[in-house]
């Protein structure tokens, strides 16, 4: 079955005329990213020569994907929009909440019990709103999207940072927060600053132990974790065309580690073959008919430095395998230098666990190449020297890896196959004999290796490499092992050398018919009542926030004056709190608990002006809300940087915070606050931050004339009765001011109920 083929046909039908129109308006050769972005401007007739890195533009992506942890709040919000179905096709994937502990069968059973009410809720809302639902065990969101939904030239958003994986099939695919997903699901334009574009030309061809993973490991080192921010990375060149479709997806997936908006490859033969192998010949045919629109123009490739904002070239023939880490994915070390770097940095070289798979690296090519290393090792009487785990990306991949004997090979060296889910990649790993303090080393083929991410232990040194290099290191037990040059001693005491890995891009016997774990939605009208158990601590229906009462904000007690960095993690912590992602009241118990109080340098200890005592931030925020006054929050620079999670904006709204006044905002958090009806303001003069005292009452006046570019007056009343006044500014446009007045953006959407504009 080809999902949403009507939508894909309709997209390609219009593509030719849209590109013609774009050419007329822009009048210069087009990169691939421009072709896709401009053909998704919303509404269509608003196309004009937007400036990269400057203009904010509304887009209408073709589809939305959500994983189970983030889908809960996204869908709870969407339910308040009052729509009967989603405006674009959407899917939900049960992958993040499955704990990897005792192997696939037992772990899925236990996830089914622990997360029963969340799964039932998601399944029923998917049915009600016509959303595709992928049950636990079906696979990881990005692998499922690649196998089923992605199409060249399309545009999608997903509530997960590695959504760019679909760039391997020529799609602009961007990771977003739940509130953004709601915009698109409800038929509103989705706003994004028009990205800059980095062009990377791949020349030469991979060989031996080098793989697609090594390309992105090298690029992560070149660009660092910030270098891609605000950019799309566009790959091209004969090296790009020599890569498999799934290899391209690996590169796009891990491109998120450079901060890039997304990454993309032009449509080519490898994509055609992958589409056909995964049962989508019709999509391949449509793409082939439009091939000129699915790559950049020849002039761009001929003179890339002129048309890309930044340009790099990498020769794949010279690329050696990389190992990145520890603690950050951009610390890239070519394998030939690992011995020297490990000694220099005192990294523990005895590896305890090697993990392969995840949404990043569990293609047929990855698994078959890792299996070829194991097969050769077994024939040379080598044994594994570390624990070894395999996390398939989907049931489709798992079943053919089983059928073709790869999983058996892994089991022969002690490999344990986990469920087709995120597991160890997102800290959902009950690591055997875990010691939360022990200094140790693990190596995996996932994408992120920040402190504590895999097993919660801050002393675990996590390194990232390709599946074949991870497998070789499992056989040696040493981080410093280089299979290109080093020998191993086998169980008979003989010296042996591992042969280079071999693999196949696609299964020669096809993907076969697999029970995929997909639940087709029953489209249409109120087919199912959504039930959340009374007293549930995981899920809670949302109620609309109240509209603005038309008055200035007067006498708001200062809740907290945050000092220094205040990211979305400081505002709404993850870890333990993840389980409350679908319960606004419970998750609000973490509001600002990581922020440092300017007045005592402590976290989660602030003055309660009602009692004169010190207490936690959420507790006092509730007290101010319940007293009827509400409260104000003050912060410093780039307030709310980090993820786009909407909880960081919903929590203050729920707790009665009316205004957040800072030196500067991270843009996404500022927009999220506006969407939820909290007033984000910026000091006109940053030094006014210093005037705010711990027991101040704060007035915000001028709201009657609230308009784009207007200023609002802040008046501080100190406890000795003296007052100080200064000006604040804001970045609201006219429609955002309507959000404020209505109480939230969702309240506006609800007004246009089912117009599906
Ligand atoms: S496998 Fe890892 S990177 Fe992929 S979606 Fe899951 S948590 Fe994210």
């Amino acid at each position: 079955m080809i999902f949403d083929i009507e939508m894909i046909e309709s997209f390609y039908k219009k593509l030719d005329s849209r590109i013609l129109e774009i050419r007329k308006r822009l009048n210069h050769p087009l990169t691939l990213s421009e072709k896709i972005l401009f053909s998704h401007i919303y509404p269509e007739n608003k196309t004009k020569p937007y400036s990269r890195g400057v203009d904010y533009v509304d887009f209408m992506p073709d589809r939305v994907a959500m994983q189970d942890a983030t889908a809960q709040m996204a869908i709870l919000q969407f339910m308040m929009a009052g729509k009967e179905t989603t405006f674009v096709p959407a899917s939900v994937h049960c992958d993040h909440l499955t704990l990897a502990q005792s192997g696939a069968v037992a772990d899925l059973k236990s996830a089914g019990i622990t997360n029963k009410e969340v799964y039932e809720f998601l399944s029923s809302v998917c049915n009600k709103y016509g959303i595709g639902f992928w049950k636990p065990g079906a696979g990881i969101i990005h692998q499922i999207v690649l196998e089923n939904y992605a199409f060249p030239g399309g545009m999608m958003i997903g509530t997960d940072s590695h959504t760019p994986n679909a760039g391997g099939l020529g799609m602009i695919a961007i990771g977003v927060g739940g509130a953004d997903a709601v915009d698109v699901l409800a038929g509103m334009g989705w706003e994004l600053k028009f990205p800059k574009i980095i062009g990377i030309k791949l020349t030469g061809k991979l060989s031996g132990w080098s793989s697609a993973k090594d390309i992105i490991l090298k690029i992560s080192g070149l660009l660092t974790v910030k270098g891609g921010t605000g950019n799309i990375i566009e790959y091209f060149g004969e090296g790009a065309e020599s890569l498999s479709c799934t290899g391209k997806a690996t590169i796009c997936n891990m491109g998120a580690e450079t901060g890039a908006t997304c990454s993309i490859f032009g449509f080519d033969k490898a994509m055609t073959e992958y589409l056909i192998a995964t049962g989508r010949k019709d999509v391949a045919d449509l793409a082939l008919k439009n091939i000129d629109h699915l790559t950049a123009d020849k002039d761009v490739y001929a003179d890339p430095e002129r048309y890309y904002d930044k340009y790099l070239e990498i020769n794949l023939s010279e690329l050696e395998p990389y190992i990145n880490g520890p603690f950050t994915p951009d610390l890239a070390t070519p394998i030939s230098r690992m011995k020297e770097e490990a000694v220099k940095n005192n990294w523990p070289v005895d590896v305890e666990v090697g993990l392969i798979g995840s949404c990043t690296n569990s293609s047929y090519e990855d698994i078959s190449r890792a299996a070829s290393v194991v097969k050769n090792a077994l024939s040379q009487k080598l044994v594994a020297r570390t624990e070894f785990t395999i996390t398939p990306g989907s049931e489709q991949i798992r079943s053919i890896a089983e059928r073709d004997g790869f999983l058996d090979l892994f089991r022969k060296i002690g490999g344990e196959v986990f469920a087709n889910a995120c597991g160890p990649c997102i800290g959902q790993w009950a690591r055997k004999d875990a010691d939360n303090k022990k200094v140790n080393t693990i190596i995996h083929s996932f994408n992120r290796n920040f402190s504590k991410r895999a097993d919660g232990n801050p002393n675990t040194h996590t390194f990232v490499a390709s599946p074949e290099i991870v497998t070789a290191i499992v056989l040696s037990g040493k981080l410093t092992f280089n299979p290109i040059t080093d020998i191993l001693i086998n169980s008979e005491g003989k010296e042996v050398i591992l042969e280079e890995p071999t693999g196949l891009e696609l299964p020669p016997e096809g993907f076969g018919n697999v029970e995929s774990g997909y639940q087709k939605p029953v489209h249409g009208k109120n087919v199912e009542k959504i039930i959340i158990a009374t007293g549930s601590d995981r899920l809670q229906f949302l109620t609309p926030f109240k509209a603005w009462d038309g008055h200035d904000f007067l006498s708001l007690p200062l809740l907290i004056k945050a000092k220094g960095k205040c990211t979305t993690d400081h505002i709404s912590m993850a870890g333990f709190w993840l389980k409350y992602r679908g319960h606004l009241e419970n998750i609000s118990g973490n509001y600002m608990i990581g922020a440092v109080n300017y007045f005592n340098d402590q976290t989660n200890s602030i003055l309660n002006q009602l009692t004169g005592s010190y207490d936690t931030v959420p507790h006092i925020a509730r007290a101010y809300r319940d007293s009827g006054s509400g409260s104000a929050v003050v912060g410093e620079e780039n307030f709310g940087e980090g993820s786009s999670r909407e909880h960081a904006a919903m929590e203050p709204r729920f707790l009665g915070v009316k205004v957040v006044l800072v030196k500067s905002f991270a843009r996404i958090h500022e927009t999220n606050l506006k969407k939820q009806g909290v007033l984000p303001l910026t000091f006109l003069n940053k030094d006014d931050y210093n005037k705010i005292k711990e027991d101040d009452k704060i007035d915000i006046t001028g709201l009657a004339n609230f308009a784009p570019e207007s200023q609002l007056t802040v008046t501080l009343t100190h406890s000795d009765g003296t007052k100080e006044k200064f000006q604040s500014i804001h970045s609201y446009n006219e429609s955002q001011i309507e959000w404020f007045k209505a109480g939230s953006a969702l309240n506006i959407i609800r007004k246009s109920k089912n117009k599906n504009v």
Side-chain angles (χ1 to χ4, degrees):
M1 169 174 82
I2 301 180
F3 290 97
D4 310 306
I5 186 67
E6 303 80 14
M7 176 270 283
I8 297 172
E9 282 169 347
S10 146
F11 167 78
Y12 283 122
K13 204 168 164 192
K14 288 195 268 178
L15 188 58
D16 202 50
S17 60
R18 296 202 78 174
I19 298 283
L20 197 68
E21 175 67 21
I22 295 160
R23 284 194 191 289
K24 264 197 236 153
R25 298 208 182 201
L26 301 192
N27 199 25
H28 64 67
L30 298 171
T31 61
L32 172 59
S33 305
E34 285 170 308
K35 289 181 186 179
I36 302 179
L37 289 171
F38 278 104
S39 56
H40 288 86
I41 299 279
Y42 180 81
E44 284 178 32
N45 57 9
K46 268 208 171 168
T47 300
K48 59 181 185 187
Y50 295 108
S51 296
R52 298 181 196 169
V54 177
D55 289 326
Y56 287 96
V57 181
D58 279 349
F59 293 96
M60 180 43 69
D62 301 304
R63 63 177 312 115
V64 176
M66 295 167 275
Q67 41 98 332
D68 48 4
T70 50
Q72 298 167 55
M73 192 54 82
I75 289 181
L76 283 163
Q77 290 180 86
F78 176 70
M79 286 165 68
M80 291 211 304
K83 307 284 182 191
E84 285 178 359
T85 57
T86 59
F87 185 70
V88 297
S91 55
V92 165
H93 305 264
C94 295
D95 53 5
H96 276 60
L97 300 177
T98 305
L99 186 72
Q101 183 166 29
S102 313
V105 175
D107 291 348
L108 281 171
K109 192 169 170 203
S110 135
I113 296 165
T114 320
N115 305 309
K116 185 169 186 284
E117 68 169 312
V118 174
Y119 293 153
E120 284 178 357
F121 166 74
L122 291 174
S123 161
S124 61
V125 285
C126 284
N127 255 341
K128 176 166 170 136
Y129 295 109
I131 301 171
F133 178 72
W134 294 81
K135 298 175 194 167
I140 306 172
I141 175 169
H142 312 306
Q143 182 67 28
I144 297 281
V145 166
L146 193 75
E147 288 171 359
N148 297 279
Y149 295 124
F151 64 95
M155 181 177 187
M156 66 174 286
I157 57 167
T159 58
D160 189 274
S161 22
H162 294 97
T163 302
N165 190 67
L169 248 180
M171 193 167 197
I172 282 196
I174 301 175
V176 298
D180 296 288
V182 174
D183 288 349
V184 178
L185 293 173
M188 285 175 59
W190 170 64
E191 191 194 59
L192 177 75
K193 189 193 265 186
F194 203 97
K196 292 187 173 185
I197 307 167
I198 298 174
I200 299 187
K201 182 174 184 181
L202 303 179
T203 61
K205 197 170 192 304
L206 292 170
S207 62
W209 284 90
S210 298
S211 71
K213 181 75 161 193
D214 299 305
I215 301 173
I216 189 59
L217 290 173
K218 182 182 172 80
I219 290 170
S220 300
L222 292 174
L223 292 179
T224 78
V225 288
K226 286 196 195 128
T229 307
N231 286 269
I232 292 179
I233 304 178
E234 191 173 311
Y235 292 89
F236 63 98
E238 79 271 10
E241 285 172 29
S242 72
L243 299 172
S244 65
C245 175
T246 50
K248 293 176 172 85
T250 294
I251 294 169
C252 294
N253 178 309
M254 199 173 160
E257 301 335 309
T258 69
T261 306
C262 68
S263 304
I264 191 166
F265 284 79
F267 178 60
D268 63 8
K269 188 165 167 275
M271 292 186 196
T272 308
E273 287 166 356
Y274 185 77
L275 282 168
I276 294 171
T278 49
R280 291 173 285 171
K281 185 171 181 309
D282 289 358
V283 179
D285 289 344
L286 287 166
L288 280 166
K289 278 188 201 147
N290 287 279
I291 191 159
D292 288 347
H293 303 321
L294 301 175
T295 54
D297 288 346
K298 288 193 174 58
D299 290 351
V300 172
Y301 293 150
D303 191 3
E305 276 159 297
R306 183 163 169 203
Y307 297 105
Y308 292 112
D309 298 282
K310 185 171 179 169
Y311 173 65
L312 298 173
E313 236 179 82
I314 294 174
N315 184 347
L316 304 190
S317 304
E318 292 169 358
L319 184 73
E320 66 170 307
Y322 273 71
I323 297 179
N324 287 22
F327 306 122
T328 182
D330 59 354
L331 183 52
T333 305
I335 201 162
S336 59
R337 286 201 14 239
M338 187 41 103
K339 290 187 184 81
E340 176 191 333
E341 289 298 314
V343 170
K344 197 166 87 190
N345 294 290
N346 204 18
W347 293 331
V349 297
D350 289 330
V351 176
E352 296 198 356
V353 193
L355 309 96
I356 63 169
S358 89
C359 70
T360 327
N361 269 107
S362 64
S363 63
Y364 191 81
E365 185 177 35
D366 290 327
I367 302 282
S368 61
R369 278 173 67 85
S372 78
V373 175
V374 173
K375 193 172 178 188
N376 176 249
L378 287 168
S379 72
Q380 302 206 71
K381 302 201 167 34
L382 288 164
V383 293
R385 302 257 166 77
T386 76
E387 285 175 39
F388 187 37
T389 75
I390 301 94
T391 307
S394 70
E395 179 55 17
Q396 178 147 276
I397 282 292
R398 191 211 61 78
S399 66
I400 52 167
E402 190 74 85
R403 178 196 70 191
D404 295 353
F406 302 142
L407 297 186
D408 262 347
L409 280 169
F410 296 143
R411 289 187 192 105
K412 278 186 187 151
I413 60 159
E416 182 167 21
V417 181
F418 285 145
N420 315 317
C422 300
C425 184
I426 190 69
Q428 289 277 37
W429 182 26
R431 186 174 167 188
K432 281 182 197 135
D433 308 321
D435 169 348
N436 262 356
K437 294 204 177 85
K438 186 181 167 195
V439 176
N440 74 104
T441 289
I442 65 172
I443 185 161
H444 63 53
S445 69
F446 311 156
N447 41 36
R448 285 200 172 148
N449 59 344
F450 297 124
S451 173
K452 297 198 208 170
R453 178 165 169 105
D455 65 356
N457 177 359
N459 297 317
T460 295
H461 290 55
T462 306
F463 292 84
V464 188
S466 68
E468 44 273 56
I469 291 294
V470 171
T471 308
I473 285 177
V474 163
L475 295 162
S476 77
K478 297 286 179 197
L479 179 68
T480 48
F481 176 66
N482 180 355
I484 303 167
T485 53
D486 297 350
I487 53 159
L488 291 169
I489 307 295
N490 72 7
S491 56
E492 294 171 346
K494 285 190 191 144
E495 292 187 348
V496 297
I497 290 182
L498 281 174
E499 283 175 14
E500 288 177 352
T502 55
L504 292 165
E505 286 185 22
L506 295 165
E509 289 175 42
F511 281 105
N513 276 332
V514 174
E515 171 48 52
S516 64
Y518 172 69
Q519 173 187 291
K520 188 172 181 216
V522 187
H523 270 277
K525 322 241 175 210
N526 300 331
V527 289
E528 203 166 323
K529 195 162 183 241
I530 308 301
I531 296 165
I532 292 178
T534 319
S536 165
D537 74 344
R538 299 282 301 268
L539 294 162
Q540 182 186 47
F541 286 119
L542 296 170
T543 42
F545 294 128
K546 281 192 184 142
W548 176 54
D549 63 7
H551 300 298
D552 284 335
F553 295 151
L554 300 177
S555 212
L556 303 176
L558 172 72
L559 180 65
I560 179 171
K561 177 170 165 178
K563 181 178 172 185
K565 208 178 198 24
C566 193
T567 68
T568 43
D569 272 331
H570 295 94
I571 301 169
S572 175
M573 271 193 184
F576 163 84
W577 297 94
L578 277 178
K579 64 179 179 185
Y580 295 134
R581 284 273 180 94
H583 197 295
L584 182 56
E585 188 173 350
N586 283 351
I587 202 166
S588 294
N590 75 1
Y591 180 57
M592 292 291 270
I593 63 176
V596 176
N597 178 4
Y598 175 88
F599 300 103
N600 61 9
D601 280 340
Q602 290 182 27
T603 53
N604 208 18
S605 172
I606 56 167
L607 175 71
N608 183 341
Q609 294 191 33
L610 297 171
T611 63
S613 58
Y614 281 78
D615 204 339
T616 66
V617 184
H619 195 222
I620 298 176
R622 273 195 191 96
Y624 290 152
R625 177 194 67 189
D626 297 344
S627 75
S629 67
S631 58
V633 166
V634 171
E636 298 206 56
E637 300 282 5
N638 209 17
F639 189 89
E641 68 180 289
S643 84
S644 56
R645 86 183 55 130
E646 69 271 30
H647 297 82
M650 295 182 81
E651 291 175 28
R653 182 68 162 108
F654 179 75
L655 292 172
V657 173
K658 298 197 169 169
V659 59
V660 177
L661 173 64
V662 300
K663 292 181 181 174
S664 67
F665 278 106
R667 195 195 68 83
I668 294 176
H669 182 60
E670 184 181 27
T671 307
N672 282 347
L673 286 170
K674 290 177 190 170
K675 279 185 178 160
Q676 302 301 341
V678 180
L679 184 67
L681 298 179
T682 309
F683 292 100
L684 178 61
N685 173 2
K686 290 183 184 183
D687 291 341
D688 289 334
Y689 171 86
N690 300 321
K691 293 179 177 159
I692 291 166
K693 297 187 179 165
E694 191 172 24
D695 48 3
D696 276 352
K697 297 276 194 317
I698 300 172
D699 298 343
I700 308 292
T701 52
L703 286 169
N705 301 315
F706 192 21
E709 314 286 330
S710 69
Q711 293 188 358
L712 295 169
T713 303
V714 181
T715 307
L716 307 176
T717 305
H718 302 308
S719 55
D720 62 3
T722 58
K723 290 183 187 282
E724 290 188 81
K725 239 182 215 192
F726 54 84
Q727 292 304 107
S728 66
I729 51 177
H730 65 81
S731 62
Y732 280 84
N733 60 31
E734 271 174 23
S735 51
Q736 290 171 338
I737 288 174
E738 293 310 308
W739 301 349
F740 171 75
K741 289 181 178 165
S744 72
L746 262 178
N747 288 349
I748 297 276
I749 297 175
R750 202 171 38 252
K751 275 192 207 160
S752 62
K753 188 176 172 183
N754 286 322
K755 273 192 200 157
N756 272 356
V757 284

